[in-house]
Amino acid sequence: MTESLTIDMTGGAAKPIEFAILVAPGYNPVDIIGPHTLLGVMPGVNLHLVWKNTDEVMGTPTFPTRPTTTFDECPADLDILYVGAPGHAQFTDTETLEFLADRGSRARWIAGSCLGSLLLGAAGLLQGYRATTNFGAVHFLPYVGATYAPGNVVEDRNRITAGPATGGFEIGFRLLQDLYGDEAAKEAILQCEYAPEPLFPVGSPELAGPELTAIAKAHLEPSLAPLTEIFEKVGARLGVAG
Amino acid sequence: MTESLTIDMTGGAAKPIEFAILVAPGYNPVDIIGPHTLLGVMPGVNLHLVWKNTDEVMGTPTFPTRPTTTFDECPADLDILYVGAPGHAQFTDTETLEFLADRGSRARWIAGSCLGSLLLGAAGLLQGYRATTNFGAVHFLPYVGATYAPGNVVEDRNRITAGPATGGFEIGFRLLQDLYGDEAAKEAILQCEYAPEPLFPVGSPELAGPELTAIAKAHLEPSLAPLTEIFEKVGARLGVAG
């Protein structure tokens, strides 16, 4: 992308697009930066990096970031509510969950990538929906009343979820398509030069095979293991069997 | 990615990997976040978000970011010097160019995506090298003494360059492969679930065709046009015919 990229487009944006991205302590910038940039460069988009306050938060890995908008200041009616992988503390943080539940109750699109899907779920926003998340965490989806569905991007009514990293870009292209039309989505794909060529074709458990997948899951285990207890509580609170 | 992802790996990292990413005012976070996260989660990596000082800088689009390391504090000997698209001011900013030229003179790898390639070039680091950049800006490469080469990732000795956005991820996978080995690169590709499926297959000028490419170039023109004058001066300073 370039310093002042703007894309003219017709239709669909008569009033501002209100776009809120959660940036909580421990958040993973890699999950949010695709949609952040794809939509943030569009004319008529009001971009909000939201958190409880505008004190600097630390990303994972190290990425000191200052939110632009507090929960209180965030527009009540959002066009897009977006969440990437958060810090674990947010899965049980009442203020965060209430904010997401409130804005999600009215948002045009509710989007989450990687463990961000599960945070939306913990806020009660995925009950009865098909969804996806990080491949190592799909077993947590039932705890929030969601049903796992395969695919890079899973769309069920106005919920749209994806895996980590480039999952966010692919959600972004789909949201551009919905909000600005096919031509805008196509142009964004070209402007991003989104024609990826993985160095090795192992970007999913199916492609990677059981051996590499087992290694990857074992390496994820220390960070995901604490989520079992957390999601049992989340499931109980939501009244979901899990 | 997850909150505390760590990847065990063998070999190649007996001493810390010093990894510096330029975060200048106007920088594009989408270009740096792939390598930032891919390498930043690895054990033994010292991640530096470098700028003249540690005052907050504003990304493009809006992304308030605080550098972690000043030019003065940045290790003299870097394993990776990485630059994404900067603000235009950096192309002629003596302090920035001198910092890049100095660290680049000793760095193990010198990497740039999108217009970051051209900033490396403006610092004199691409003279006599094959390189790439944003498709709309490849005509500036001769001004810095570089020769355009096709490909998602272009590697010439220890210079590695790519287009925008996911170009950075692909540089990151290659650097992981070099510094940590094939297995670490494969695992990172799986942990990222990097098996992209573009919504439309138009992610390069060749794929997009002449009509969409012309539209995209026309939209880039306002932001790229000022670079012509800038790079004529850069070429004159470097003594490059252009």
Side-chain angles (χ1 to χ4, degrees):
Chain A
M1 314 301 285
T2 66
E3 186 173 20
S4 57
L5 177 63
T6 56
I7 299 174
D8 293 327
M9 41 80 235
T10 54
K15 71 181 182 69
I17 303 279
E18 301 291 348
F19 177 26
I21 303 175
L22 188 74
V23 287
Y27 89 104
N28 285 200
V30 75
D31 291 327
I32 68 164
I33 211 67
H36 160 269
T37 298
L38 288 168
L39 287 145
V41 297
M42 295 299 285
V45 168
N46 291 334
L47 175 64
H48 307 280
L49 304 175
V50 295
W51 180 235
K52 294 175 184 179
N53 52 57
T54 57
D55 295 345
E56 184 178 291
V57 299
M58 180 56 80
T60 301
T62 300
F63 210 82
T65 311
R66 190 172 53 76
T68 61
T69 310
T70 66
F71 286 176
D72 285 345
E73 294 163 352
C74 182
D77 296 302
L78 293 171
D79 293 280
I80 308 169
L81 174 64
Y82 195 97
V83 182
H88 281 8
Q90 280 85 61
F91 289 118
T92 53
D93 183 75
T94 304
E95 191 177 347
T96 302
L97 296 175
E98 287 181 350
F99 169 77
L100 295 174
D102 174 72
R103 295 310 191 276
S105 71
R106 292 180 304 276
R108 188 164 165 189
W109 281 102
I110 297 169
S113 60
C114 196
L115 302 189
S117 302
L118 294 171
L119 184 59
L120 294 174
L125 293 168
L126 292 183
Q127 288 193 59
Y129 287 82
R130 289 178 296 108
T132 191
T133 178
N134 186 301
F135 78 91
V138 293
H139 56 291
F140 294 122
L141 286 168
Y143 289 101
V144 298
T147 304
Y148 168 70
N152 270 22
V153 173
V154 174
E155 197 174 318
D156 185 356
R157 286 156 283 176
N158 72 334
R159 270 63 165 173
I160 184 164
T161 54
T166 44
F169 285 79
E170 297 197 9
I171 288 177
F173 296 132
R174 173 67 186 104
L175 294 176
L176 278 175
Q177 181 187 35
D178 181 73
L179 297 171
Y180 292 88
D182 283 2
E183 294 312 306
K186 286 179 186 172
E187 182 175 343
I189 289 167
L190 176 55
Q191 299 284 16
C192 271
E193 299 186 48
Y194 193 76
E197 296 173 5
L199 183 63
F200 298 103
V202 295
S204 72
E206 295 71 27
L207 291 167
E211 193 177 346
L212 178 56
T213 300
I215 291 169
K217 282 193 173 179
H219 288 155
L220 283 173
E221 185 59 19
S223 68
L224 293 182
L227 291 183
T228 300
E229 190 178 341
I230 288 171
F231 276 98
E232 283 171 356
K233 287 179 185 163
V234 166
R237 183 172 47 73
L238 293 173
V240 171
Chain B
M1 314 301 285
T2 67
E3 184 174 18
S4 56
L5 178 63
T6 57
I7 299 175
D8 293 327
M9 42 79 234
T10 55
K15 71 181 183 69
I17 303 279
E18 300 291 349
F19 176 28
I21 304 174
L22 188 74
V23 288
Y27 88 104
N28 284 201
V30 76
D31 291 328
I32 68 163
I33 212 68
H36 160 269
T37 297
L38 288 169
L39 287 145
V41 298
M42 295 299 284
V45 169
N46 291 334
L47 175 65
H48 307 280
L49 304 175
V50 295
W51 181 235
K52 295 175 184 178
N53 51 56
T54 58
D55 295 345
E56 183 176 293
V57 299
M58 181 56 81
T60 302
T62 300
F63 210 81
T65 310
R66 190 172 54 76
T68 61
T69 309
T70 66
F71 286 175
D72 286 345
E73 294 163 350
C74 183
D77 295 301
L78 293 172
D79 292 280
I80 308 168
L81 174 64
Y82 195 98
V83 182
H88 282 8
Q90 281 84 62
F91 289 118
T92 52
D93 183 75
T94 304
E95 191 178 348
T96 301
L97 296 175
E98 286 181 351
F99 169 78
L100 295 174
D102 174 73
R103 295 310 191 276
S105 71
R106 291 179 305 275
R108 188 164 163 189
W109 280 101
I110 297 169
S113 60
C114 196
L115 302 188
S117 302
L118 293 171
L119 184 59
L120 294 174
L125 293 167
L126 292 182
Q127 289 192 59
Y129 286 83
R130 289 177 296 108
T132 191
T133 179
N134 186 300
F135 79 90
V138 294
H139 57 290
F140 294 122
L141 286 168
Y143 289 101
V144 297
T147 305
Y148 167 70
N152 270 22
V153 173
V154 173
E155 197 174 318
D156 186 355
R157 288 156 283 174
N158 72 335
R159 272 62 166 173
I160 184 164
T161 54
T166 46
F169 286 79
E170 297 197 9
I171 288 177
F173 296 132
R174 173 66 186 106
L175 294 176
L176 278 175
Q177 181 187 36
D178 180 73
L179 298 170
Y180 293 88
D182 282 3
E183 294 312 306
K186 286 179 186 172
E187 183 175 341
I189 289 167
L190 176 56
Q191 298 285 17
C192 271
E193 300 186 44
Y194 193 76
E197 296 172 6
L199 183 63
F200 298 102
V202 294
S204 72
E206 294 71 28
L207 291 167
E211 192 176 345
L212 178 55
T213 299
I215 292 169
K217 282 193 174 180
H219 289 154
L220 283 173
E221 186 58 20
S223 67
L224 293 183
L227 291 183
T228 300
E229 190 179 342
I230 288 171
F231 277 99
E232 283 171 356
K233 287 179 186 164
V234 166
R237 182 171 48 72
L238 294 173
V240 171

PDB file of all heavy atoms in Angstrom, chain B residues 164-179:
ATOM      1  N   PRO B 164       3.682  -5.408  -1.808  1.00  0.00           N
ATOM      2  CA  PRO B 164       3.050  -5.003  -0.544  1.00  0.00           C
ATOM      3  C   PRO B 164       2.372  -6.156   0.184  1.00  0.00           C
ATOM      4  O   PRO B 164       2.210  -7.250  -0.364  1.00  0.00           O
ATOM      5  CB  PRO B 164       2.007  -3.982  -1.010  1.00  0.00           C
ATOM      6  CG  PRO B 164       1.671  -4.403  -2.396  1.00  0.00           C
ATOM      7  CD  PRO B 164       2.929  -4.981  -2.976  1.00  0.00           C
ATOM      8  N   ALA B 165       1.948  -5.869   1.404  1.00  0.00           N
ATOM      9  CA  ALA B 165       1.053  -6.729   2.189  1.00  0.00           C
ATOM     10  C   ALA B 165       1.622  -8.127   2.373  1.00  0.00           C
ATOM     11  O   ALA B 165       2.602  -8.297   3.105  1.00  0.00           O
ATOM     12  CB  ALA B 165      -0.344  -6.762   1.565  1.00  0.00           C
ATOM     13  N   THR B 166       1.063  -9.130   1.711  1.00  0.00           N
ATOM     14  CA  THR B 166       1.528 -10.498   1.938  1.00  0.00           C
ATOM     15  C   THR B 166       2.940 -10.724   1.422  1.00  0.00           C
ATOM     16  O   THR B 166       3.560 -11.734   1.775  1.00  0.00           O
ATOM     17  CB  THR B 166       0.567 -11.521   1.311  1.00  0.00           C
ATOM     18  OG1 THR B 166       0.226 -11.099  -0.004  1.00  0.00           O
ATOM     19  CG2 THR B 166      -0.665 -11.653   2.167  1.00  0.00           C
ATOM     20  N   GLY B 167       3.477  -9.798   0.616  1.00  0.00           N
ATOM     21  CA  GLY B 167       4.891  -9.876   0.263  1.00  0.00           C
ATOM     22  C   GLY B 167       5.760  -9.962   1.508  1.00  0.00           C
ATOM     23  O   GLY B 167       6.754 -10.695   1.538  1.00  0.00           O
ATOM     24  N   GLY B 168       5.372  -9.240   2.537  1.00  0.00           N
ATOM     25  CA  GLY B 168       6.122  -9.278   3.788  1.00  0.00           C
ATOM     26  C   GLY B 168       6.077 -10.645   4.462  1.00  0.00           C
ATOM     27  O   GLY B 168       7.074 -11.103   5.019  1.00  0.00           O
ATOM     28  N   PHE B 169       4.919 -11.294   4.418  1.00  0.00           N
ATOM     29  CA  PHE B 169       4.818 -12.651   4.974  1.00  0.00           C
ATOM     30  C   PHE B 169       5.779 -13.589   4.237  1.00  0.00           C
ATOM     31  O   PHE B 169       6.457 -14.406   4.845  1.00  0.00           O
ATOM     32  CB  PHE B 169       3.390 -13.205   4.846  1.00  0.00           C
ATOM     33  CG  PHE B 169       2.398 -12.608   5.808  1.00  0.00           C
ATOM     34  CD1 PHE B 169       1.838 -11.362   5.580  1.00  0.00           C
ATOM     35  CD2 PHE B 169       2.018 -13.297   6.942  1.00  0.00           C
ATOM     36  CE1 PHE B 169       0.916 -10.805   6.462  1.00  0.00           C
ATOM     37  CE2 PHE B 169       1.091 -12.752   7.840  1.00  0.00           C
ATOM     38  CZ  PHE B 169       0.543 -11.509   7.589  1.00  0.00           C
ATOM     39  N   GLU B 170       5.816 -13.430   2.927  1.00  0.00           N
ATOM     40  CA  GLU B 170       6.632 -14.370   2.147  1.00  0.00           C
ATOM     41  C   GLU B 170       8.124 -14.114   2.369  1.00  0.00           C
ATOM     42  O   GLU B 170       8.918 -15.057   2.386  1.00  0.00           O
ATOM     43  CB  GLU B 170       6.210 -14.330   0.680  1.00  0.00           C
ATOM     44  CG  GLU B 170       4.762 -14.790   0.560  1.00  0.00           C
ATOM     45  CD  GLU B 170       4.313 -15.184  -0.834  1.00  0.00           C
ATOM     46  OE1 GLU B 170       5.142 -15.274  -1.744  1.00  0.00           O
ATOM     47  OE2 GLU B 170       3.097 -15.412  -0.995  1.00  0.00           O
ATOM     48  N   ILE B 171       8.506 -12.859   2.566  1.00  0.00           N
ATOM     49  CA  ILE B 171       9.886 -12.578   2.983  1.00  0.00           C
ATOM     50  C   ILE B 171      10.132 -13.227   4.356  1.00  0.00           C
ATOM     51  O   ILE B 171      11.166 -13.848   4.590  1.00  0.00           O
ATOM     52  CB  ILE B 171      10.143 -11.058   3.057  1.00  0.00           C
ATOM     53  CG1 ILE B 171      10.214 -10.448   1.657  1.00  0.00           C
ATOM     54  CG2 ILE B 171      11.436 -10.777   3.837  1.00  0.00           C
ATOM     55  CD1 ILE B 171      10.393  -8.929   1.642  1.00  0.00           C
ATOM     56  N   GLY B 172       9.164 -13.087   5.242  1.00  0.00           N
ATOM     57  CA  GLY B 172       9.307 -13.657   6.590  1.00  0.00           C
ATOM     58  C   GLY B 172       9.535 -15.161   6.571  1.00  0.00           C
ATOM     59  O   GLY B 172      10.393 -15.682   7.291  1.00  0.00           O
ATOM     60  N   PHE B 173       8.763 -15.869   5.759  1.00  0.00           N
ATOM     61  CA  PHE B 173       8.945 -17.335   5.679  1.00  0.00           C
ATOM     62  C   PHE B 173      10.356 -17.661   5.179  1.00  0.00           C
ATOM     63  O   PHE B 173      11.006 -18.573   5.681  1.00  0.00           O
ATOM     64  CB  PHE B 173       7.899 -17.963   4.755  1.00  0.00           C
ATOM     65  CG  PHE B 173       6.488 -17.819   5.243  1.00  0.00           C
ATOM     66  CD1 PHE B 173       5.475 -17.375   4.387  1.00  0.00           C
ATOM     67  CD2 PHE B 173       6.144 -18.131   6.550  1.00  0.00           C
ATOM     68  CE1 PHE B 173       4.170 -17.243   4.831  1.00  0.00           C
ATOM     69  CE2 PHE B 173       4.830 -17.996   7.004  1.00  0.00           C
ATOM     70  CZ  PHE B 173       3.838 -17.545   6.138  1.00  0.00           C
ATOM     71  N   ARG B 174      10.816 -16.913   4.187  1.00  0.00           N
ATOM     72  CA  ARG B 174      12.146 -17.174   3.628  1.00  0.00           C
ATOM     73  C   ARG B 174      13.241 -16.905   4.665  1.00  0.00           C
ATOM     74  O   ARG B 174      14.219 -17.660   4.770  1.00  0.00           O
ATOM     75  CB  ARG B 174      12.348 -16.312   2.373  1.00  0.00           C
ATOM     76  CG  ARG B 174      13.736 -16.368   1.784  1.00  0.00           C
ATOM     77  CD  ARG B 174      14.099 -17.717   1.222  1.00  0.00           C
ATOM     78  NE  ARG B 174      15.509 -17.712   0.809  1.00  0.00           N
ATOM     79  CZ  ARG B 174      16.486 -18.327   1.482  1.00  0.00           C
ATOM     80  NH1 ARG B 174      16.198 -19.039   2.560  1.00  0.00           N
ATOM     81  NH2 ARG B 174      17.723 -18.244   1.059  1.00  0.00           N
ATOM     82  N   LEU B 175      13.073 -15.827   5.438  1.00  0.00           N
ATOM     83  CA  LEU B 175      14.066 -15.522   6.472  1.00  0.00           C
ATOM     84  C   LEU B 175      14.048 -16.587   7.561  1.00  0.00           C
ATOM     85  O   LEU B 175      15.100 -16.990   8.068  1.00  0.00           O
ATOM     86  CB  LEU B 175      13.816 -14.126   7.058  1.00  0.00           C
ATOM     87  CG  LEU B 175      14.034 -12.970   6.082  1.00  0.00           C
ATOM     88  CD1 LEU B 175      13.670 -11.640   6.748  1.00  0.00           C
ATOM     89  CD2 LEU B 175      15.475 -12.916   5.575  1.00  0.00           C
ATOM     90  N   LEU B 176      12.855 -17.058   7.931  1.00  0.00           N
ATOM     91  CA  LEU B 176      12.771 -18.161   8.899  1.00  0.00           C
ATOM     92  C   LEU B 176      13.520 -19.374   8.379  1.00  0.00           C
ATOM     93  O   LEU B 176      14.237 -20.047   9.124  1.00  0.00           O
ATOM     94  CB  LEU B 176      11.305 -18.550   9.137  1.00  0.00           C
ATOM     95  CG  LEU B 176      10.510 -17.714  10.131  1.00  0.00           C
ATOM     96  CD1 LEU B 176       9.062 -18.177  10.144  1.00  0.00           C
ATOM     97  CD2 LEU B 176      11.106 -17.830  11.532  1.00  0.00           C
ATOM     98  N   GLN B 177      13.311 -19.663   7.099  1.00  0.00           N
ATOM     99  CA  GLN B 177      13.984 -20.818   6.510  1.00  0.00           C
ATOM    100  C   GLN B 177      15.501 -20.670   6.611  1.00  0.00           C
ATOM    101  O   GLN B 177      16.209 -21.611   6.988  1.00  0.00           O
ATOM    102  CB  GLN B 177      13.568 -20.949   5.047  1.00  0.00           C
ATOM    103  CG  GLN B 177      14.202 -22.147   4.332  1.00  0.00           C
ATOM    104  CD  GLN B 177      13.902 -22.143   2.843  1.00  0.00           C
ATOM    105  OE1 GLN B 177      13.832 -21.091   2.204  1.00  0.00           O
ATOM    106  NE2 GLN B 177      13.721 -23.331   2.298  1.00  0.00           N
ATOM    107  N   ASP B 178      15.979 -19.468   6.298  1.00  0.00           N
ATOM    108  CA  ASP B 178      17.433 -19.269   6.329  1.00  0.00           C
ATOM    109  C   ASP B 178      17.972 -19.320   7.751  1.00  0.00           C
ATOM    110  O   ASP B 178      19.018 -19.920   8.001  1.00  0.00           O
ATOM    111  CB  ASP B 178      17.789 -17.916   5.696  1.00  0.00           C
ATOM    112  CG  ASP B 178      19.292 -17.692   5.711  1.00  0.00           C
ATOM    113  OD1 ASP B 178      19.977 -18.354   4.918  1.00  0.00           O
ATOM    114  OD2 ASP B 178      19.782 -16.891   6.527  1.00  0.00           O
ATOM    115  N   LEU B 179      17.256 -18.690   8.686  1.00  0.00           N
ATOM    116  CA  LEU B 179      17.798 -18.538  10.042  1.00  0.00           C
ATOM    117  C   LEU B 179      17.495 -19.734  10.943  1.00  0.00           C
ATOM    118  O   LEU B 179      18.239 -20.007  11.872  1.00  0.00           O
ATOM    119  CB  LEU B 179      17.253 -17.259  10.685  1.00  0.00           C
ATOM    120  CG  LEU B 179      17.636 -15.947   9.972  1.00  0.00           C
ATOM    121  CD1 LEU B 179      16.853 -14.777  10.542  1.00  0.00           C
ATOM    122  CD2 LEU B 179      19.135 -15.692  10.084  1.00  0.00           C
TER     123      LEU B 179
END
